[in-house]
Amino acid sequence: MIGRKQILLGIMILAAVLGGFYLLDRAGGAGRKAPPATAVNPSGAAAAPDFKLKDMDGKEVRLEDFRGKKVLINFWTTWCTYCREEMPLLQKFHEQHGGRNWQVLTINITSSEKGVFAVRTYLQSNKYTFPVLLDETGSVASLYGVRSIPASFVLNEKGEVIKTRVGPFTWKEMADLISVPVN
């Protein structure tokens, strides 16, 4: 005969197992939706998903506007330590290579910030001048499958993703981007 203590213990074990499966699912384990598929061009490179976001001045910017240039897209937040380490390198890269055949587009995941004012204050206090787009809903980060920041995507002139990077770049890695072959 099963006693009350054994039934209670069985219920607790079952709850712990079910809770474990729930946490695994929330952390990206079983049942997690895969990031949206991107179109693959005949060259084998994936076309970067197009998006439209507002910049710091409220102007709408589309990724497609930069077709014909190589683009470095970088997702970041003001509270991310690694992002803060990488920002001076992005500024230097923007100053040295932006406007030629490169475009640096940083995308602040504003949905995880204390608001646009916090982003503006951070940029002004550090004298950053690279373009910043505001992902106020997190939808573009989601579209690109960003799960950790900083996350960067390098696009060729055709708008194809030719390199991805999770974590901060070193200056050497950023400088090496200039020699990345493009199709």
Side-chain angles (χ1 to χ4, degrees), residues 81-93:
T81 304
Y82 294 120
C83 300
R84 287 174 171 253
E85 289 174 12
E86 188 176 57
M87 289 289 140
L89 300 178
L90 288 169
Q91 179 64 35
K92 185 176 178 181
F93 191 84

Side-chain angles (χ1 to χ4, degrees), residues 25 32 99 156:
D25 181 48
R32 187 70 163 184
N156 64 15

Side-chain angles (χ1 to χ4, degrees), residues 33 40 42-43 50 53 68 76 81 90 99 101 105 111 115 128 136 165:
K33 290 181 182 175
V40 176
S43 67
D50 192 24
L53 291 172
W76 66 283
T81 304
L90 288 169
N101 69 339
L105 285 180
S111 58
Y128 294 135
E136 297 187 73
R165 168 92 176 161

Side-chain angles (χ1 to χ4, degrees), residues 107-124:
I107 300 178
N108 176 268
I109 306 172
T110 318
S111 58
S112 68
E113 298 278 6
K114 292 181 180 174
V116 175
F117 181 76
V119 178
R120 187 178 310 281
T121 302
Y122 174 78
L123 294 169
Q124 288 172 346

